[in-house]
Amino acid sequence: MPTTTREIHLASRPQGWPVPENFRTVTTELPDPGPGEVLVRNTVMSVDPYMRGRMNDVKSYVPPYRLDAPLDGGAVGEVVASGDESLQPGDTVLHQLGWREHALAPAAAFRKVDVSQVPASAYLGVLGMPGLTAYVGLVHVAGLQEGDAVLISGAAGAVGSVAGQLARLLGAGKVVGSAGSKEKLAWLTDDLGFDAAVDYHDGPVRKQLAPYGPFDVYFDNVGGDHLEAAIEHLADHGRVAACGSIASYNDEAPTPGPRNMFQVVSKRLRIQGFIVTDHQDLAGEFYRRAGAWVASGDLKHRETVVDGLDHAVDAFLGLHRGENIGKMLVRL
């Protein structure tokens, strides 16, 4: 029998900060899966900062979302019907057809995941794209070395919180983070092993970081004043893994660049941007190492969960306002 379900469409392209009117919830019907197809009931979906860029009609490393079509992104769910012998009803799968209550696609679009040791939601965070992003940025972009002093912006988010812990597990001599509340700072230092953390609401980040530098590695999730501060406090031959710039994602005009770019020359700094999908060859290596750390309790994770597809847009907007600690998820 056809399955009646709901999905969220992009109704119009945001100008600056998205508003609820940019989105539309649509009821639709999905047929039973045909040969080679699988029907999945989504249980948890992800909202991520990169999704904001896809709402603009500009060329980027991923195609923009189409108007009047469902959004997509990471999700986990349960197979309810299958036309392919590789997946059976009851299997838990990871896929990219989020922002909807059910997903129908060829079996190749889904990856079965093991939920005997970790919850399915972990594959959207610590053992998913955010975790792999942290690993790639530290190990293969910044070239983390034992004893390095590491600075991480957005340190209480899904990527930053993993990056800080990985830096410590991989031998960093010092790990410092920035975040946006006292609760977040306490989580970083008391639970995750950061040596120090600063609240960017308490004054210029540049001044707050002065007691903790110099740094050998900067993992940048924020951009803006954080990048400028990091350039000032990086040691000679410091390395920057440029992952994201959430501080400017909703700006209507271009954000001025760091005012101290000449220090990139005088300190002989290396700044390298990266996209995690360019490094899928490292996924197996990451899952082996991170899976063992999660199982042992050495790699911790936290989730901020919003309930219901009706509140998915609220979760997405809350992510950009810094309302999450760890991974922001929507439970369907």
Side-chain angles (χ1 to χ4, degrees):
M1 298 288 290
T3 299
T4 301
T5 189
R6 299 185 304 158
E7 55 194 27
I8 295 182
H9 290 199
L10 187 64
S12 58
R13 300 202 182 277
Q15 301 297 316
W17 275 86
V19 295
E21 290 74 21
N22 295 132
F23 307 89
R24 181 184 302 115
T25 303
V26 175
T27 299
T28 188
E29 282 195 348
L30 298 177
D32 289 338
E37 293 184 325
V38 176
L39 177 66
V40 171
R41 178 180 63 83
N42 287 337
T43 55
V44 184
M45 57 164 272
S46 176
V47 290
D48 299 283
Y50 79 87
M51 294 175 174
R52 176 60 186 87
R54 294 191 65 192
M55 295 174 186
N56 301 327
D57 189 14
V58 296
K59 184 178 181 180
S60 185
Y61 62 93
V62 285
Y65 290 127
R66 293 182 294 114
L67 292 177
D68 301 314
L71 301 168
D72 59 61
V76 288
E78 180 182 337
V79 175
V80 294
S82 178
D84 191 286
E85 61 182 13
S86 66
L87 292 171
Q88 300 300 318
D91 286 346
T92 300
V93 293
L94 171 69
H95 60 93
Q96 289 296 312
L97 296 172
W99 292 90
R100 63 199 83 187
E101 293 171 327
H102 292 80
L104 176 67
F110 304 99
R111 178 167 71 88
K112 185 177 177 179
V113 293
D114 181 3
V115 293
S116 63
Q117 303 294 324
V118 297
S121 59
Y123 291 97
L124 299 174
V126 64
L127 293 179
M129 180 268 290
L132 179 58
T133 299
Y135 185 81
V136 167
L138 280 177
V139 176
H140 296 278
V141 176
L144 180 71
Q145 299 174 16
E146 189 170 351
D148 277 346
V150 178
L151 172 63
I152 298 170
S153 59
V159 174
S161 60
V162 175
Q165 294 179 84
L166 290 179
R168 177 65 74 209
L169 289 165
L170 295 169
K174 177 172 59 179
V175 181
V176 176
S178 71
S181 73
K182 295 297 182 287
E183 181 185 4
K184 292 179 179 181
L185 301 193
W187 181 53
L188 295 175
T189 57
D190 298 348
D191 295 340
L192 301 190
F194 281 65
D195 294 284
V198 302
D199 185 339
Y200 57 81
H201 293 115
D202 289 345
V205 178
R206 175 181 56 81
K207 292 184 178 180
Q208 292 194 67
L209 291 175
Y212 306 111
F215 300 98
D216 302 294
V217 168
Y218 173 48
F219 193 109
D220 188 17
N221 292 303
V222 175
D225 62 338
H226 282 69
L227 177 56
E228 184 174 296
I231 290 172
E232 177 166 331
H233 294 296
L234 278 165
D236 288 352
H237 304 286
R239 294 95 68 199
V240 177
C243 176
S245 301
I246 196 170
S248 60
Y249 286 168
N250 295 298
D251 289 351
E252 295 189 58
T255 303
R259 295 166 295 182
N260 56 351
M261 287 298 289
F262 185 73
Q263 291 188 49
V264 175
V265 178
S266 62
K267 293 183 178 183
R268 287 85 79 200
L269 305 180
R270 176 166 61 83
I271 302 176
Q272 181 177 339
F274 72 100
I275 303 299
V276 68
T277 50
D278 293 339
H279 300 274
Q280 289 303 311
D281 58 310
L282 303 174
E285 173 185 319
F286 164 71
Y287 293 133
R288 286 191 299 274
R289 303 184 78 176
W293 286 325
V294 171
S296 68
D298 291 326
L299 181 55
K300 302 175 183 178
H301 63 106
R302 186 166 168 178
E303 299 170 345
T304 300
V305 180
V306 174
D307 281 307
L309 188 71
D310 292 329
H311 296 289
V313 172
D314 296 332
F316 176 71
L317 297 177
L319 172 72
H320 286 262
R321 290 190 291 260
E323 295 175 1
N324 60 300
I325 298 181
K327 185 75 186 81
M328 180 71 93
L329 298 170
V330 180
R331 183 165 47 210
L332 302 175

